[in-house]
Amino acid sequence: MESLGQITLDALALLFSGDQELWQIIGVSFRTSLLALLLATPFAFLLGWTLAFWRFPGQGMLVSLNNTLLAVPTVVIGLLLLMLFSRAGPLGDWRWLFSQPIMILGQMLMCLPILIAMSHTAYHSVSRHAWESLRTLGVAPWRCLWLITLEVRFALLAALVTAFGRIIAEVGCAMMVGGNIAGYTRTITTSIALETSKGAYAQGVALGLVLLVLALMLNLLLGLVRGQTTQEQQA
């Protein structure tokens, strides 16, 4: 086995040499994760707003259920999708198993509870009187929602960053339903698992460095968001 220093140098060489296979894996990861986040966000934020500003039977149970889903392991989501979309499953005719669409669906299921919980908390921080006052002034409902969303935009951005970090770094669901197919469903995390099992540490370290840099950028962004939020509250 090569030394840690040599493996790290090889990993950096792979990244900066523009290795096609490596960057293809990175591209698949970012494409599926960003699309899943884009599709899940409108529904999640709308439900978070509904839970914060409306009262209806079963509301508390729905909030508790969503908070419970935050702790569901990704492999459980993968198992559920595997049973639904396998040939013997009720949705087997769709032939989504081992494809990018089912990976995106799995990532949507993973990020929805996070987005709903954090957006609910964000909208709940705004007084209900704000909505009532805007409606009394004759502001259209969609316009009221937009103005309140602008008020909590930093908290919602934090929700997006947190959800993206969660889904791009998961491995269980992607491995189970994606199949780790080279050039199609192989992601950063599934490739790390595969390459290290074969003893090819350089590519695994290179992909790990990408995740570390991404984590650093997301944390810096979150810190910036928190700082701006604090400044606005003090002002």
Side-chain angles (χ1 to χ4, degrees), residues 139-219:
V139 181
W142 67 268
R143 180 68 176 170
C144 293
L145 175 58
W146 174 249
L147 291 174
I148 291 174
T149 298
L150 288 178
E151 184 71 20
V152 296
R153 60 189 182 278
F154 294 123
L156 296 180
L157 178 59
L160 290 173
V161 171
T162 303
F164 181 70
R166 155 103 165 151
I167 60 179
I168 199 170
E170 77 84 23
V171 62
C173 182
M175 183 75 78
M176 292 183 70
V177 301
N180 202 20
I181 303 171
Y184 185 50
T185 61
R186 183 166 296 172
T187 63
I188 292 175
T189 51
T190 60
S191 181
I192 290 175
L194 175 66
E195 296 301 325
T196 52
S197 68
K198 296 190 303 183
Y201 295 103
Q203 185 167 346
V205 171
L207 293 169
L209 288 173
V210 172
L211 286 180
L212 286 174
V213 170
L214 176 64
L216 175 61
M217 292 174 62
L218 291 178
N219 276 286

Side-chain angles (χ1 to χ4, degrees), residues 9-204:
L9 289 175
D10 293 342
L12 291 173
L14 277 174
L15 282 172
F16 291 107
S17 66
D19 183 78
Q20 183 177 358
E21 180 183 357
L22 185 73
W23 286 101
Q24 188 177 52
I25 292 168
I26 296 171
V28 170
S29 294
F30 276 83
R31 181 166 61 251
T32 54
S33 297
L34 287 172
L35 188 53
L37 190 65
L38 180 64
L39 293 173
T41 296
F43 171 76
F45 282 2
L46 184 59
L47 184 54
W49 167 81
T50 302
L51 292 172
F53 283 93
W54 293 86
R55 298 291 181 263
F56 52 88
Q59 180 188 28
M61 181 63 70
L62 186 57
V63 172
S64 298
L65 176 61
N66 184 73
N67 291 337
T68 301
L69 293 176
L70 289 170
V72 174
T74 60
V75 290
V76 174
I77 297 175
L79 178 61
L80 174 64
L81 293 178
L82 187 64
M83 291 189 297
L84 288 175
F85 288 92
S86 65
R87 287 190 177 183
L91 302 179
D93 291 340
W94 290 18
R95 297 184 179 181
W96 273 19
L97 198 59
F98 306 136
S99 67
Q100 288 188 14
I102 197 172
M103 291 173 61
I104 293 171
L105 177 59
Q107 291 177 334
M108 288 175 62
L109 294 176
M110 278 181 274
C111 69
L112 272 172
I114 298 174
L115 293 172
I116 293 171
M118 295 186 69
S119 63
H120 172 237
T121 302
Y123 284 121
H124 192 68
S125 66
V126 179
S127 173
R128 288 176 54 85
H129 297 299
W131 173 269
E132 295 169 356
S133 299
L134 288 171
R135 294 294 292 132
T136 301
L137 293 172
V139 181
W142 67 268
R143 180 68 176 170
C144 293
L145 175 58
W146 174 249
L147 291 174
I148 291 174
T149 298
L150 288 178
E151 184 71 20
V152 296
R153 60 189 182 278
F154 294 123
L156 296 180
L157 178 59
L160 290 173
V161 171
T162 303
F164 181 70
R166 155 103 165 151
I167 60 179
I168 199 170
E170 77 84 23
V171 62
C173 182
M175 183 75 78
M176 292 183 70
V177 301
N180 202 20
I181 303 171
Y184 185 50
T185 61
R186 183 166 296 172
T187 63
I188 292 175
T189 51
T190 60
S191 181
I192 290 175
L194 175 66
E195 296 301 325
T196 52
S197 68
K198 296 190 303 183
Y201 295 103
Q203 185 167 346

